[in-house]
Amino acid sequence: MKSVANTKRQLTDLIQLGSHHSAIIDSSADAIISKNAEGIILSWNRGAERLYGYTAKEAIGQPITLLIPSEYGNDFPRIMDRLLKGKKVQNYETKRRTKDGRILDVSLTISPLKDASGKIVGASKIARDITKQKKLEQQRDDFISIATHELKTPVTSIKAYTQVLKSVFAKQADKRAVEYLDKMDAQLNKLTSLISDLLDVNKIQNDHLFFEKEPFNLNGLIVEIVEELQRTTDRHNLVMELARSIEIVGDRDRLGQVLTNLISNAIKYSPHGGEIIVKTQVKPDQAVVSVQDFGVGIPEDKLASVFEKFFRVSGPKQDTFPGMGLGLYISAEIVKRQGGQIWVESQEGKGSTFYFSLPIVAN
Amino acid sequence: MPKSQPKKKILVADDDPGILDALRFMLEESGYQVDTTVDGETVAKMFEDKPDLLLLDIWMSGQDGRDICKALKAQDSTRHIPIIMVSANKDTERIAKEAGADDFLAKPFEMKDLLSKVAFHLQAGK
């Protein structure tokens, strides 16, 4: 008697659970669709009706290609292939077509559906409409391109005139004029890097900073940058203490940017000149690069904030240091994206050492 | 007495008159003959004068510099003329090469880089 009552209760619980789950799926704002291994639509929630315009009756039994705009290529076989390998598809951005022919940008998260034996018999998909978001991103990208162009345009022509004038005066052996024009050129380079920094920060915020992934020689990069920056100062002595040469896989230009930033800062914050030591350490799974200066150092209460956006060294003794406070923020982002870490040790009045680590990919 | 070489002709196309003027100054000082235009539409027409090299901005009023480059490289009569694409955006270097350009220069550029690339491609063109 008890077992019949138990079974009845279990069945009721199951049915309730089933209805509960159906209610959850149905009330979701996102489109939730399931299909079998051949791509035939098995279920279609109200979110799917709203997103794509087809009613459940119209959609169920149809192939999923109903939604895929042919001009963008059919990505369903690739998705299925990934699922059959047991991999989930998460936040995959693609295009789909609605019943009335509109093309939508959607973000898909797809999980495999398995039967009792664990065999994959279909897929369950959650689709979110990201068309508006994509449009905003496109507007932002366009703005960044236009802003770069507009800001760099007058700088380009001024720099060109400056350099031509310099060669004209050099031919006339006018040393003073050449010196002034050199200083103008240096300022223009500063302006250019400020503009680039501003735009980099914008890209970082919009997650549009692209990174190359190519192998390069770390020591080679360091030597190149140190030699270039040594030429910008005759009061500082840039010294290299490099460990054995290793290969790093990453973005050579961007990491060069980090080094340039750290060494330029070392120069900037050692106003009385002095040594700047660039060192590398090779550990089994990472390389650590450090830039040490013997300049003004950073007060202890500011150490935690140096890598924040807009952080600038300030104070009665130090408000002659120019800069927007973006360099270290950008460097930190770059190092982070390369899978490394960045940190600093410093003593006010004695100097600072900035470190960053880069993972070494075992061959 | 050595025969004097005719000046090499360089065509510069950029949507900014300031840059055109500065580049004209720079290239004429270095002994080149220079023609300029802001208008993308006229570049193809000006090619009939057979310049020895084209400096082309990716951003041109009226047309995308990459399309102009592709079109010129697609024609037998103009394919051999070296094209150096110039742009404010260093990320577009790859895209410029894909358009068929022979070289690329990021703005703002160093005069020595511009002049050495121009000299190199004019030599190669021989």
Side-chain angles (χ1 to χ4, degrees):
Chain A
M1 285 290 106
K2 236 194 194 171
S3 64
V4 172
N6 262 345
T7 314
K8 239 190 171 171
R9 210 179 313 126
Q10 282 172 344
L11 261 170
T12 317
D13 285 347
L14 264 174
I15 292 171
Q16 271 190 345
L17 196 57
S19 319
H20 193 54
H21 280 168
S22 291
I24 292 174
I25 289 173
D26 232 35
S27 64
S28 167
D30 294 326
I32 302 177
I33 301 166
S34 69
K35 45 206 166 165
N36 65 14
E38 284 76 52
I40 303 296
I41 298 170
L42 300 173
S43 75
W44 187 263
N45 77 339
R46 247 184 273 155
E49 288 184 339
R50 272 194 302 266
L51 183 64
Y52 293 117
Y54 298 100
T55 63
K57 222 188 237 173
E58 288 170 333
I60 292 175
Q62 295 295 324
I64 196 70
T65 47
L66 176 70
L67 307 172
I68 302 177
S70 46
E71 58 266 34
Y72 293 99
N74 183 1
D75 50 8
F76 178 67
R78 221 184 328 129
I79 294 171
M80 213 51 222
D81 193 57
R82 228 185 120 78
L83 290 173
L84 286 169
K85 294 199 177 110
K87 294 191 196 154
K88 202 176 174 193
V89 171
Q90 217 154 353
N91 298 320
Y92 167 63
E93 292 183 358
T94 183
K95 300 206 185 263
R96 291 288 180 261
R97 181 184 272 124
T98 63
K99 183 177 179 186
D100 55 356
R102 285 173 299 125
I103 304 285
L104 298 173
D105 285 291
V106 293
S107 170
L108 306 178
T109 296
I110 310 176
S111 317
L113 284 173
K114 300 185 182 150
D115 67 11
S117 67
K119 183 174 120 189
I120 294 172
V121 293
S124 162
K125 173 172 76 176
I126 303 177
R128 179 167 295 170
D129 186 355
I130 54 170
T131 313
K132 215 182 269 183
Q133 178 191 323
K134 281 281 161 197
K135 206 180 269 182
L136 272 172
E137 282 176 16
Q138 185 61 49
Q139 280 181 332
R140 258 195 310 245
D141 276 351
D142 291 345
F143 171 71
I144 290 171
S145 300
I146 294 171
T148 323
H149 184 255
E150 292 306 299
L151 288 170
K152 288 191 177 176
T153 293
V155 175
T156 304
S157 53
I158 298 173
K159 191 176 168 70
Y161 287 128
T162 306
Q163 294 192 328
V164 180
L165 275 176
K166 183 178 152 189
S167 84
V168 165
F169 282 116
K171 278 188 209 147
Q172 298 169 6
D174 189 333
K175 279 206 188 130
R176 206 123 152 270
V178 168
E179 194 190 319
Y180 287 145
L181 288 160
D182 261 336
K183 289 184 204 256
M184 281 170 64
D185 195 47
Q187 292 303 317
L188 286 167
N189 290 341
K190 248 190 218 165
L191 182 56
T192 305
S193 63
L194 285 174
I195 295 171
S196 296
D197 278 357
L198 249 168
L199 290 157
D200 274 352
V201 164
N202 218 319
K203 281 191 200 168
I204 288 172
Q205 275 176 181
N206 303 336
D207 202 26
H208 279 145
L209 208 56
F210 289 113
F211 285 90
E212 302 276 5
K213 244 197 176 153
E214 270 170 25
F216 66 90
N217 183 296
L218 181 62
N219 287 9
L221 174 65
I222 296 177
V223 169
E224 197 181 288
I225 304 274
V226 168
E227 282 177 359
E228 191 182 305
L229 286 168
Q230 178 69 83
R231 275 178 257 144
T232 68
T233 174
D234 46 12
R235 287 181 305 119
H236 301 81
N237 188 19
L238 272 54
V239 168
M240 289 183 276
E241 288 173 20
L242 306 181
R244 65 180 171 88
S245 183
I246 49 151
E247 214 180 54
I248 296 282
V249 176
D251 192 317
R252 191 180 193 276
D253 279 345
R254 289 291 181 190
L255 287 168
Q257 197 178 333
V258 174
L259 257 170
T260 301
N261 172 238
L262 296 181
I263 299 175
S264 306
N265 280 350
I267 293 173
K268 197 197 311 186
Y269 294 103
S270 311
H272 303 297
E275 242 186 19
I276 293 168
I277 306 175
V278 181
K279 231 197 304 211
T280 65
Q281 255 184 294
V282 179
K283 300 193 183 157
D285 59 343
Q286 60 177 327
V288 179
V289 180
S290 63
V291 176
Q292 181 177 19
D293 69 73
F294 300 93
V296 297
I298 302 163
E300 185 153 357
D301 58 342
K302 302 278 165 64
L303 269 179
S305 333
V306 285
F307 298 108
E308 284 171 18
K309 218 193 301 188
F310 309 129
F311 174 80
R312 296 178 69 237
V313 172
S314 62
K317 275 194 271 178
Q318 294 154 336
D319 47 7
T320 53
F321 293 112
M324 285 191 301
L326 292 177
L328 282 175
Y329 167 69
I330 295 172
S331 294
E333 283 298 311
I334 293 173
V335 168
K336 247 187 274 177
R337 294 280 233 101
Q338 296 280 223
Q341 284 178 307
I342 191 166
W343 68 99
V344 61
E345 285 167 4
S346 180
Q347 229 189 323
E348 201 170 1
K350 295 260 173 75
S352 312
T353 307
F354 279 83
Y355 301 86
F356 67 93
S357 65
L358 294 170
I360 302 177
V361 182
N363 249 334
Chain B
M1 182 121 142
K3 198 166 77 169
S4 68
Q5 298 250 351
K7 282 188 184 172
K8 294 281 187 178
K9 262 194 301 193
I10 300 180
L11 176 57
V12 187
D14 193 300
D15 68 337
D16 182 58
I19 290 181
L20 286 180
D21 196 53
L23 278 173
R24 178 194 283 280
F25 187 17
M26 189 184 276
L27 293 166
E28 281 178 352
E29 271 295 306
S30 305
Y32 299 108
Q33 189 188 326
V34 181
D35 279 319
T36 63
T37 179
V38 291
D39 190 352
E41 307 283 339
T42 63
V43 174
K45 210 178 294 161
M46 290 171 88
F47 248 59
E48 287 165 19
D49 268 343
K50 291 285 183 296
D52 296 298
L53 184 139
L54 169 64
L55 281 168
L56 178 60
D57 189 356
I58 288 183
W59 292 72
M60 290 293 303
S61 38
Q63 261 195 299
D64 186 325
R66 288 166 287 181
D67 292 333
I68 300 174
C69 182
K70 275 191 200 141
L72 289 168
K73 287 296 180 185
Q75 266 184 286
D76 285 326
S77 54
T78 54
R79 184 173 300 137
H80 63 288
I81 300 174
I83 299 181
I84 301 177
M85 295 216 72
V86 185
S87 174
N89 194 344
K90 64 176 156 116
D91 286 338
T92 56
E93 174 167 356
R94 226 178 313 120
I95 302 172
K97 291 267 179 87
E98 279 168 22
D102 297 90
D103 209 332
F104 177 82
L105 194 59
K107 288 186 209 175
F109 46 79
E110 296 293 320
M111 181 166 85
K112 59 174 162 59
D113 291 336
L114 170 73
L115 292 177
S116 72
K117 283 189 191 233
V118 165
F120 174 79
H121 288 285
L122 283 173
Q123 268 299 107
K126 276 187 184 162

